[in-house]
Amino acid sequence: MEFDLSDLKNLLKSRSVRRQSNHREYALLALGFSYSENKLKQYISRALCEGDALACRQGVYYRLSDASGAQFWVRTRHLGQVSGVDVFFEGETSTPFGLEDIRMDDDYDPLDGGFYGWSQAVADSSGDPETPFTGDFPTAFGVPDFARHLDLPLPALRVVQYAAFAKGISAYVDESDFSLRAPWKIASRSFFPVDELNSWVTFAGEVLDCGMRSNGISGQEFAWAKVQAYGATLDVAANPRTVRGTLVPGGYVMGHFWLRGRLL
């Protein structure tokens, strides 16, 4: 199939991409990707040529994966029109999630969206259809292959791998250090959905594992951590320049993140 990349500049200046550029740019940089027209065109071309093709009724997703866990996604309509890009980090964390509703990220792109529901969910024993789940908190997250799950009957209890892309993150060597120096007086394991419409969250949690990883697609490094927050275990990716302090196993982190997820 011939793909139309000639309109990439207009795509990057479109209403939907401008509206999402704030968090998509942070996510790209958090995974070691560059956010420029030339680099994005290179990533898109590689994904379309080398990536895995995942088809659905609304179009085709192309997923370019790297051993570091970094992924670059391209959304295309059936006539080969590139409708958008996305990123994800494939990790090994998992959290039970009660899916209650879909959330469209872009009225003009049916391939772009996510889900709303309850994290750390269990089926509600009351039998009330209005409250199928109980959980630690309600939140929303975007899904890189959203349209492939549109036939999933809701409500549904599924396992989700969260990927959280840091806008800014502070690291502390232990819980005492967190309590002493954290600028916000919140619990060391906490989670606050602050903008559900756009999947922005704030959380703090314990670092179970961490390290620097090299994105083989871009050749750049990024910081990674496996974090246990309240009601969720997450894979966190961050631009090293946005990390204040040093990530260490057994330490704690706090920050502001764009939340994505994949259904396992």
Side-chain angles (χ1 to χ4, degrees), residues 61-264:
Y61 295 94
Y62 290 85
R63 178 185 61 200
L64 183 63
S65 302
D66 179 65
S68 66
Q71 295 180 342
F72 187 88
W73 290 70
V74 178
R75 302 189 300 273
T76 67
R77 307 300 292 270
H78 284 301
L79 296 179
Q81 176 191 9
V82 174
S83 63
V85 300
D86 208 343
V87 293
F88 193 71
F89 177 86
E90 184 175 16
E92 298 179 355
T93 63
S94 61
T95 301
F97 194 92
L99 304 168
E100 290 190 345
D101 201 1
I102 65 169
R103 190 208 66 208
M104 301 297 295
D105 281 349
D106 184 353
D107 294 338
Y108 296 92
D109 187 357
L111 295 166
D112 192 14
F115 290 94
Y116 174 87
W118 288 84
S119 192
Q120 203 65 43
V122 296
D124 189 277
S125 58
S126 69
D128 184 350
E130 296 297 322
T131 57
F133 309 110
T134 58
D136 286 345
F137 54 82
T139 192
F141 61 90
V143 179
D145 58 344
F146 163 71
R148 297 179 68 226
H149 305 286
L150 282 176
D151 292 332
L152 179 66
L154 299 179
L157 186 61
R158 294 291 295 267
V159 177
V160 170
Q161 183 230 322
Y162 288 124
F165 301 102
K167 178 180 180 180
I169 184 171
S170 298
Y172 307 90
V173 295
D174 55 28
E175 192 168 13
S176 297
D177 186 35
F178 175 90
S179 299
L180 180 66
R181 295 196 300 113
W184 308 324
K185 298 308 177 184
I186 60 176
S188 58
R189 291 189 181 187
S190 53
F191 198 105
F192 303 95
V194 294
D195 183 358
E196 292 178 351
L197 180 63
N198 292 306
S199 300
W200 281 106
V201 300
T202 294
F203 63 80
E206 181 181 1
V207 178
L208 305 179
D209 195 8
C210 60
M212 295 297 296
R213 298 200 177 190
S214 179
N215 182 335
I217 300 170
S218 66
Q220 302 297 315
E221 286 194 329
F222 63 95
W224 163 82
K226 178 181 179 181
V227 175
Q228 180 63 61
Y230 173 74
T233 307
L234 311 96
D235 285 283
V236 171
N239 180 341
R241 295 182 179 180
T242 68
V243 180
R244 295 178 292 274
T246 302
L247 293 167
V248 294
Y252 284 76
V253 295
M254 179 174 64
H256 195 44
F257 307 86
W258 188 46
L259 187 66
R260 309 295 281 168
R262 67 183 177 112
L263 305 187
L264 302 178

